[in-house]
Amino acid sequence: MVAILLLSQLLAAGPSNAANSADVAYAQAKNAYQRLRVDKNRRKYRHNWQRIARNLEDVAKEFPKSPRAAEATYSSAQLNGELSRFSDRDEDLGKAVGNFETFLARWPRHTLAPKAALALAKLYADRQDQPQKAREVLEKALSSPGSEAVAMRRMLLLLPPPKPKAVATKPKAPKSTAMPMSLQEAIAKVGVRSTHAAPEVAELALATTPESWRFPARTLAEAPPISGAATVARDDLPGEEELGAVPKGKSPRVDMKSVNDLVPIGQQLGLKIRRVVLDPGHGGHDPGSIGRKGTRESTVTLAIAKKLAARLEARGLQVVLTRDDDSYVKLEDRTRKANSVKGDLFVSIHCNAAPSKKLQGIETYTLNTSANRYSIRLAAQENATSEAGVSDLQYILADLTAKANTSESVQLAKGVQRSLVRTARNAYPNIVDHGTKEALFFVLLGAKMPSILIETAFLSNPEEEQRLRSARYQDLVAKAIADGIQDFLEVRTQMASVR
């Protein structure tokens, strides 16, 4: 290769010339990288990225003792990481990870080491679903000072807790005939603790027999949110530890103070849902996804939102639309409006799209970070009109942990998704249920209320595009969402009334 021959000739000229040559070679490759990033035509082709990556790697190979070797390795890692988001190839992602690993192994004290560690941790957690590796990199990097320390600590808050060490099982205590203890006393006795910085609401899964009161042997943070009655059949429990016995002939009493400690504050206080903010996705110069027949996502979402608004108002709810015509509204302004009008629920309505026209179905999202590549790609698609990037947004979430409405958002998402699939299948038996998921949608970020984003169908699928164009399907979707919201409100009211 011409570049390698040139570098070899410069090396033979002497140490001083070699150092200058390293500077020149690195500067040329780095400048080429910067030009490529802003060239809309050239950046579309993978070979353009690969050529510059090879040039950067050549600098590190030919000038291993030069300060530019470290910088070239770091830049190559950055380039391959950026390329992997466009190409979606494991090969490119693997090179980015390998470059960062090489950098940290060879230059652990370099000024760029904290940035490299943070970038590598993001790749492990977000792209390779290896949160434990990400944690190891961050904890090691935090031993050295750096400006990225705050971001590292925030990311550690978002990562799953370390896997607990195996603990020897204690022999079961003999059965007691004492009255049942409260849940708090039982938890303290067993020693169940949450290792999450901000644990989600736990489901109190209780089972009864004439002689014992049991609950699942798992941490509260691992249990799903409360979704129904406080008791379940014994066969439903994945594992049990005996806590105490109930005198024969008497039913076990649940300590409702302990139950209330785990119920969202809105449900405890019985706060009513009065105002729903509906967000028709896209609009104006941002049409969103466009189907093969020219169906614009912005048109469909507005039609559904207006139909849904009418149904919700008929049920006595106040409704606010983030847009009521084909106008453009910034993503951040949508959530800001929902907060300013003191909305109680936020529902963002969208139409999905995918490279494959075969993909179809319905899915509902809540806000969270996600290691699922599909969710990351979809979030990037929906976040495209925001000035913030996905990588920038992930670590803002740590600041919102204490204020998040995670539990109620999940309950709302599940209720709406269930209603959508049930209703749609009555008319279209082939409806695919993709379930509820989590992703980093910017339009949900910062909402001070339970918030969901609904992908009603795929515009990229010819059959579903035809449905989305029809008033019949739009009416069906509006009714199903309204029913799902109603189900959520009824469960919420029931939970609030339990004393």
Side-chain angles (χ1 to χ4, degrees):
M1 189 161 49
V2 175
I4 294 179
L5 291 174
L6 176 60
L7 293 173
S8 300
Q9 292 171 0
L10 292 171
L11 273 173
S16 178
N17 287 337
N20 292 336
S21 301
D23 292 343
V24 172
Y26 173 69
Q28 290 177 342
K30 189 65 182 291
N31 289 338
Y33 176 25
Q34 298 298 341
R35 290 195 301 271
L36 177 63
R37 295 183 71 187
V38 298
D39 190 327
K40 294 183 179 179
N41 293 322
R42 293 181 59 244
R43 64 181 291 168
K44 295 177 182 179
Y45 300 99
R46 183 166 175 260
H47 67 270
N48 290 330
W49 294 81
Q50 289 180 308
R51 181 172 61 253
I52 298 173
R54 285 193 295 268
N55 290 343
L56 288 166
E57 291 166 2
D58 287 343
V59 172
K61 290 177 183 177
E62 295 299 325
F63 304 99
K65 296 182 179 181
S66 166
R68 301 307 178 198
E71 296 172 24
T73 303
Y74 179 83
S75 296
S76 179
Q78 279 188 312
L79 184 152
N80 280 303
E82 191 172 354
L83 169 61
S84 70
R85 291 188 179 277
F86 291 107
S87 69
D88 197 27
R89 291 197 181 190
D90 291 338
E91 176 187 350
D92 299 328
L93 177 59
K95 285 187 176 181
V97 170
N99 288 149
F100 279 127
E101 289 175 336
T102 298
F103 180 92
L104 291 172
R106 290 184 60 185
W107 301 284
R109 301 295 179 185
H110 195 280
T111 55
L112 288 172
K115 291 182 180 292
L118 185 58
L120 178 59
K122 291 179 183 179
L123 293 181
Y124 277 144
D126 300 344
R127 309 289 302 285
Q128 291 192 332
D129 195 18
Q130 299 187 70
Q132 295 304 324
K133 276 194 172 185
R135 177 174 289 279
E136 292 171 6
V137 170
L138 293 174
E139 290 177 344
K140 184 176 180 180
L142 278 173
S143 62
S144 302
S147 60
E148 282 68 36
V150 173
M152 290 181 185
R153 291 191 180 94
R154 286 178 175 175
M155 185 174 180
L156 281 171
L157 287 175
L158 296 174
L159 292 174
K163 293 181 179 179
K165 296 181 180 179
V167 179
T169 305
K170 294 182 180 180
K172 286 186 177 181
K175 293 182 179 180
S176 169
T177 57
M179 290 296 289
M181 65 189 74
S182 73
L183 283 180
Q184 289 177 327
E185 293 170 337
I187 291 169
K189 180 177 179 180
V190 177
V192 177
R193 293 172 182 166
S194 168
T195 55
H196 284 286
E200 293 184 357
V201 176
E203 178 179 345
L204 304 179
L206 306 177
T208 63
T209 69
E211 298 181 353
S212 64
W213 175 23
R214 306 165 185 261
F215 82 114
R218 56 183 174 179
T219 65
L220 293 179
E222 293 172 334
I226 292 177
S227 56
T231 59
V232 295
R234 179 195 290 193
D235 292 342
D236 292 337
L237 301 179
E240 302 174 340
E241 289 187 22
E242 186 168 358
L243 298 183
V246 177
K248 292 183 178 181
K250 293 188 177 182
S251 300
R253 184 173 70 83
V254 178
D255 184 343
M256 288 315 300
K257 180 179 184 300
S258 299
V259 173
N260 288 339
D261 286 343
L262 297 172
V263 176
I265 187 67
Q267 292 183 2
Q268 291 185 39
L269 299 178
L271 300 180
K272 293 183 178 180
I273 299 293
R274 295 184 175 87
R275 185 173 294 116
V276 180
V277 179
L278 300 181
D279 174 47
H282 307 277
H285 67 262
D286 170 30
S289 300
I290 301 178
R292 293 174 182 269
K293 292 186 176 180
T295 310
R296 297 159 64 97
E297 180 179 2
S298 57
T299 302
V300 174
T301 58
L302 181 60
I304 292 174
K306 287 183 174 181
K307 294 174 186 292
L308 174 57
R311 288 182 176 275
L312 293 176
E313 288 172 346
R315 301 185 189 202
L317 293 168
Q318 299 175 14
V319 177
V320 176
L321 293 171
T322 58
R323 67 179 181 93
D324 56 9
D325 56 17
D326 188 23
S327 58
Y328 173 72
V329 182
K330 291 182 179 179
L331 296 181
E332 45 268 47
D333 289 343
R334 296 169 187 254
T335 309
R336 187 177 295 118
K337 181 174 183 178
N339 291 334
S340 67
V341 301
K342 301 186 184 304
D344 298 309
L345 296 178
F346 182 80
V347 179
S348 190
I349 303 169
H350 289 256
C351 303
N352 219 329
S356 171
K357 65 181 182 179
K358 294 181 180 180
L359 197 57
Q360 59 179 309
I362 301 169
E363 55 197 19
T364 306
Y365 283 83
T366 55
L367 176 69
N368 209 329
T369 54
S370 175
N372 179 280
R373 183 174 297 175
Y374 169 79
S375 298
I376 291 172
R377 188 185 306 121
L378 179 60
Q381 174 180 308
E382 298 292 4
N383 294 341
T385 58
S386 172
E387 296 177 359
V390 172
S391 60
D392 299 324
L393 296 175
Q394 279 181 299
Y395 305 101
I396 299 174
L397 288 177
D399 294 334
L400 304 176
T401 302
K403 300 177 183 178
N405 294 280
T406 304
S407 176
E408 290 194 296
S409 295
V410 170
Q411 292 177 34
L412 175 61
K414 288 182 177 180
V416 169
Q417 176 70 14
R418 191 162 47 242
S419 178
L420 274 167
V421 173
R422 180 179 62 243
T423 304
R425 281 180 175 168
N426 289 334
Y428 309 95
N430 63 338
I431 290 290
V432 178
D433 179 8
H434 289 296
T436 57
K437 301 178 181 180
E438 298 176 342
L440 191 59
F441 289 114
F442 188 53
V443 75
L444 301 182
L445 185 65
K448 298 177 181 179
M449 65 214 73
S451 307
I452 61 173
L453 185 147
I454 305 167
E455 297 284 358
T456 54
F458 281 78
L459 272 173
S460 51
N461 179 281
E463 184 178 356
E464 293 205 334
E465 179 188 7
Q466 188 62 34
R467 291 175 189 166
L468 288 166
R469 292 168 62 93
S470 70
R472 179 195 181 197
Y473 187 76
Q474 293 169 6
D475 284 331
L476 179 152
V477 169
K479 178 183 182 302
I481 296 174
D483 289 344
I485 292 174
Q486 185 67 40
D487 291 343
F488 168 78
L489 298 182
E490 290 174 358
V491 171
R492 193 176 190 275
T493 301
Q494 291 171 4
M495 293 302 301
S497 65
V498 175
R499 292 288 184 269

